[in-house]
Amino acid sequence: MTSNDHGPPEHPGATAAASLAAGAAAGFNLPALRGHNAALVLGLLRAAGEEGVSRLELAARTALTPQAVSKITARLRAEGLAVEAGRRASTGGKPATLLRLVPGARHAIGIHLDRDEAVLVLADLAGAPVAVRRAPLDLTAGAGPVLTAVAREVAAVRAEADAPGVLGAGVACPGPLDHTTGVLRRVTGAPGWDGFPLRDALAARLDLPVVVDKDTNAAALALAHGPGRPGSFAYLHLGTGLGAGLVLDGALYRGPRTGAGEFGHQVVWWDGPRCACGRRGCVEALCLAALARDDLPGAARALGVGAANLVELLDIDRILLGGRTVATHPDVFLRGVTEELTDRAAARGSARPSVAVVPADGPGTVAQGAAQLILGPLFGASSGSAAVPQRGVVSEESEVRAMTALP
């Protein structure tokens, strides 16, 4: 690629992508919603599941007036996003009518671009996969072939499910990159992508809003939206490379320049093997060198050294291990990382580590997290937050004025 490849003309999809990214960061003025308060209500409807939730409960949890909640839910029902879910048994007075989300009313596409494979998920509003596709991919082939392949697979997954209302596409790929602008940096092993505006270029191809993030961040986001409280954890992904996604106090941490999580390039052996990044002794280089000589315990131990450094630096609750290499040999990596954490704990006088080490993901986790980059802001959470905000911040009158058409 040359510098001339890095500036596609502005396109409506690219403009929408920029607006969506900005809205995700701020939590307001999301183009696919009728205001912040509607997003809060949608988020609570999603959290309630099939059981549903009453309008009075929605008002209590958002601090909105019952009148405002009634207007919002009426509009959501008119758009097919919410339906009645029956009535709750009365404890005196009129039985409460329950409402629930309609997951199939809208969809988002999650795209995981690995160095040798593309995985696509079409997810409904609840985040459940409706269709999944996998296809070979050569990330080093450059922008033209990769964008063409992605556009082809997106068309195929949409045709396969025939799902209505696709809101946008979240793209997860190897870093480093700038999440805010959707511009890739010098991707390890594929330096030709440096400076390429993937978000805008892909939005123009797909005619959809696009949000771009690192694969490890997307996986961490998917895991943070899983059952239970997310707390603070590190997701370590070992596949064709090594990276981390960090969730601190329930929110994905990207850093002020969105560059956090380059875990694989911490140097732990100053004159160790040469890494693809140009330095020596990176954890990634040690892991991949051990794997190349079929030394799985050595790779696991190297990963454990990096994980222990992370635990001591951030005081996190859990280490979650994922990626194709870990998925193929989970016991070896769980044991190796746990042993290193145990050794560190013993050096501090503790009999056992206080940090749990668990396998994290199944097939498609990164792509499902990429879909959350689109879905998260629609439910009142930023694309980096696992929690749904619980308080309305706009008056009833402002809420009505803020309403604009859903796609």
Side-chain angles (χ1 to χ4, degrees), residues 124-146:
D124 64 19
L125 289 176
V130 175
V132 180
R133 284 185 66 85
R134 311 180 83 96
L137 182 75
D138 180 6
L139 195 64
T140 65
V146 169

Side-chain angles (χ1 to χ4, degrees), residues 111-115 171-175 177 212-221 235 237 240-245 262 365-367 369-370:
I111 304 169
H112 177 198
L113 300 181
D114 208 344
R115 290 175 174 84
V171 180
C173 58
L177 56 81
V212 174
D213 208 342
K214 291 194 292 188
D215 47 11
T216 49
N217 285 346
L221 196 58
Y235 167 78
H237 184 98
T240 56
L242 174 62
E262 288 300 313
T365 297
V366 176

Side-chain angles (χ1 to χ4, degrees), residues 244-275:
L246 305 175
V247 171
L248 305 179
D249 295 327
L252 181 66
Y253 181 75
R254 295 187 178 94
R257 289 166 294 280
T258 73
E262 288 300 313
F263 167 81
H265 298 293
Q266 58 172 305
V267 175
V268 295
W269 182 8
W270 70 272
D271 61 348
R274 179 76 68 180
C275 181

Side-chain angles (χ1 to χ4, degrees), residues 38-92:
L40 298 187
V41 171
L42 272 174
L44 291 171
L45 288 172
R46 182 172 69 165
E50 290 292 322
E51 181 180 338
V53 62
S54 72
R55 292 176 179 84
L56 285 178
E57 289 170 322
L58 291 171
R61 295 178 191 178
T62 59
L64 295 170
T65 66
Q67 293 85 356
V69 169
S70 292
K71 289 178 181 178
I72 293 169
T73 54
R75 196 72 185 216
L76 295 177
R77 291 180 63 194
E79 292 289 347
L81 294 169
V83 294
E84 290 190 0
R87 295 180 181 273
R88 183 170 292 150
S90 174
T91 57

Side-chain angles (χ1 to χ4, degrees), residues 13-39:
T15 303
S19 298
L20 181 57
F28 297 93
N29 300 322
L30 301 174
L33 284 180
R34 292 175 168 78
H36 181 68
N37 293 346

Side-chain angles (χ1 to χ4, degrees), residues 126-405:
V130 175
V132 180
R133 284 185 66 85
R134 311 180 83 96
L137 182 75
D138 180 6
L139 195 64
T140 65
V146 169
L147 294 180
T148 297
V150 171
R152 180 179 64 246
E153 294 303 319
V154 166
V157 79
R158 293 183 71 173
E160 178 181 330
D162 191 25
V166 175
L167 299 170
V171 180
C173 58
L177 56 81
D178 187 328
H179 165 69
T180 304
T181 63
V183 174
L184 301 191
R185 300 307 181 198
R186 195 174 179 84
V187 177
T188 304
W193 286 96
D194 189 18
F196 186 79
L198 179 62
R199 183 194 70 190
D200 292 351
L202 196 53
R205 287 287 189 109
L206 302 179
D207 196 23
L208 287 171
V210 172
V211 178
V212 174
D213 208 342
K214 291 194 292 188
D215 47 11
T216 49
N217 285 346
L221 196 58
L223 295 166
H225 279 83
R229 302 290 296 178
S232 296
F233 66 83
Y235 167 78
L236 307 183
H237 184 98
L238 180 59
T240 56
L242 174 62
L246 305 175
V247 171
L248 305 179
D249 295 327
L252 181 66
Y253 181 75
R254 295 187 178 94
R257 289 166 294 280
T258 73
E262 288 300 313
F263 167 81
H265 298 293
Q266 58 172 305
V267 175
V268 295
W269 182 8
W270 70 272
D271 61 348
R274 179 76 68 180
C275 181
C277 73
R279 290 174 288 186
R280 288 187 175 275
C282 296
V283 176
E284 178 179 300
L286 297 178
C287 285
L288 297 183
L291 291 172
R293 59 177 184 268
D294 293 325
D295 179 10
L296 287 172
R301 196 72 180 190
L303 183 59
V305 169
N309 290 344
L310 204 55
V311 169
E312 292 187 338
L313 181 66
L314 298 176
D315 192 24
I316 51 182
D317 306 317
R318 291 170 291 156
I319 294 290
L320 280 63
L321 303 181
R324 279 181 288 170
T325 303
V326 171
T328 306
H329 310 282
D331 293 339
V332 176
F333 283 94
L334 287 173
R335 183 167 55 249
V337 173
T338 301
E339 287 175 355
E340 183 60 32
L341 291 174
T342 301
D343 289 349
R344 295 285 184 96
R348 292 183 169 201
S350 177
R352 65 182 64 182
S354 59
V355 177
V357 182
V358 294
D361 59 352
T365 297
V366 176
Q368 290 178 43
Q372 286 295 337
L373 294 170
I374 299 295
L375 294 176
L378 305 180
F379 295 96
S382 75
S383 60
S385 174
V388 177
Q390 298 291 302
R391 313 297 285 182
V393 297
V394 185
S395 68
E396 176 184 341
E397 293 78 11
S398 297
E399 173 63 38
V400 175
R401 290 196 299 269
M403 289 183 176
T404 56

